[in-house]
Amino acid sequence: MKAVVYDGPKSFQITSVPDPEPASDEVLLRVVLAGVCGTDLHLHEGEFGPTYPLIPGHEILGEVVRTGDAVTGLRPGQRVVLDNTTRCGECAACRRGMGHFCRNLAAQGVNRPGGFAEYVTARAANCFAVDDLPPETAVLAEPLACVVHGLDRVALTPGSDVVVFGAGPTGLLLAQLAAHSGAGRVTVAAPTPAKLAKAAEFGVDRTVRLDRSDPSAGLAELRALAPEGFDVVVDATGAVSVLEETFGLVREGGTIVVYGMAAESASWPVPAYEVFRRELTIIGSFAQLHGIERALRVLRSGRVRTDGMITHRFSLDEYPDALAAVADSSCLKAVLAP
Ligand SMILES: [Zn+2]
Ligand SMILES: [Zn+2]
């Protein structure tokens, strides 16, 4: 089969590799769509713990081709999305119910073969049937599951005033789910007018244009919007320049959520006295944990909208173009259709 195969940071080939064989508790999937996201850009740089050789791709929609002997709940022809992570259940983290920190975490597309290929195998237990959802909606289940986890972490107080920095796929999903999780008002701040228009179309209460090179006007607008500060300030960009602004925008007793993935080497100065005196909370959220089922329910209900979110589609051979697209502000969400 054809696949994108990395043998080191920034070093990949689009090449032919043997077809994978499903174990008895696994299924063989033909990859229908695989989302390309910011995490893949970090993996391309060698960050986020890749194991080589690596076939990336962790947001996978596939069609069952064949099932292993022990698989009973799935049949050929069904479409499924994957929980790309498998936990050992035995390490210290797993035994504390924190399986996303599993010391032996197997993550397809990170340290196990992923979906930037014609075929992929997966444990049947990790598959969720999605025949009832359009493919371009279903493929967003994994990123939305990560958002579900982020909101689990925040434990939003009803009526909260929430601002989300970033109007990429994550920002748009997060802002919408926050609105449906009890927020009293949701504002999205981002540089790209077309993405802000999408946020408004999806029902976000306020949008604020934030010019990356000169954010002063946008920040002033945000401060005018919430003179006492926002209850929850979410960074869905991973940009240190955004994180630096969060303290000036969060209310006393408020919460800053570090949701976007920063470079591994990035750091930002935290005013210790302000955290102490204003009783601020800083929360991280890096992955999903048992969130796919809830994400699918939200997608099925239509509460979180995804129409028009996928703006770029590429073949496997066009993988370099897909990477370039994800790095470009004109792209909202890119997928590979192997
Ligand atoms: Zn992703
Ligand atoms: Zn474990």
Side-chain angles (χ1 to χ4, degrees), residues 42-318:
H42 287 278
L43 282 164
H44 174 79
E45 302 289 330
E47 298 182 341
F48 208 57
T51 301
Y52 302 108
L54 172 68
I55 300 174
H58 57 275
E59 303 173 3
I60 302 166
L61 170 70
E63 184 185 290
V64 178
V65 175
R66 203 161 74 240
T67 60
D69 297 339
V71 175
T72 54
L74 292 168
R75 52 178 166 66
Q78 261 184 315
R79 275 207 319 263
V80 299
V81 291
L82 292 194
D83 176 349
N84 71 309
T85 57
T86 300
R87 300 150 282 272
C88 78
E90 296 175 4
C91 71
C94 282
R95 284 158 59 113
R96 286 283 300 274
M98 297 188 289
H100 51 321
F101 300 128
C102 174
R103 308 291 186 253
N104 310 300
L105 190 72
Q108 292 189 252
V110 180
N111 60 13
R112 295 286 190 285
F116 295 166
E118 289 177 289
Y119 296 95
V120 65
T121 52
R123 289 171 70 229
N126 287 37
C127 295
F128 294 78
V130 290
D131 289 300
D132 58 326
L133 282 173
E136 295 202 349
T137 298
V139 74
L140 294 165
E142 195 276 344
L144 183 58
C146 294
V147 164
V148 166
H149 179 70
L151 288 171
D152 280 348
R153 298 270 301 133
V154 176
L156 211 57
T157 305
S160 293
D161 198 3
V162 178
V163 60
V164 177
F165 283 91
T170 285
L172 292 178
L173 295 173
L174 206 153
Q176 291 185 80
L177 194 56
H180 288 292
S181 301
R185 178 174 68 169
V186 179
T187 302
V188 169
T192 312
K195 294 183 183 179
L196 290 176
K198 203 75 191 158
E201 181 194 328
F202 285 166
V204 160
D205 299 288
R206 301 294 292 258
T207 59
V208 172
R209 172 120 204 281
L210 202 71
D211 192 329
R212 279 270 162 81
S213 55
D214 180 19
S216 54
L219 290 170
E221 196 179 334
L222 286 170
R223 274 190 283 271
L225 212 51
E228 296 290 324
F230 293 89
D231 296 297
V232 179
V233 180
V234 182
D235 171 53
T237 70
V240 167
S241 60
V242 170
L243 288 167
E244 283 172 347
E245 301 297 341
T246 55
F247 288 99
L249 292 166
V250 69
R251 188 191 198 110
E252 290 153 346
T255 300
I256 293 165
V257 185
V258 183
Y259 192 92
M261 183 175 169
E264 280 185 19
S265 59
S267 64
W268 110 91
V270 171
Y273 180 78
E274 281 197 54
V275 175
F276 160 79
R277 179 66 179 76
R278 301 170 61 210
E279 298 194 346
L280 303 178
T281 303
I282 302 173
I283 282 179
S285 177
F286 97 101
Q288 67 93 16
L289 180 68
H290 306 307
I292 301 276
E293 196 225 352
R294 283 187 286 159
L296 288 174
R297 186 173 299 113
V298 171
L299 290 174
R300 286 187 172 113
S301 74
R303 281 194 171 79
V304 164
R305 283 177 53 187
T306 60
D307 41 296
M309 262 177 71
I310 292 173
T311 52
H312 291 62
R313 298 157 188 85
F314 299 96
S315 68
L316 278 178
D317 287 319
E318 295 168 324

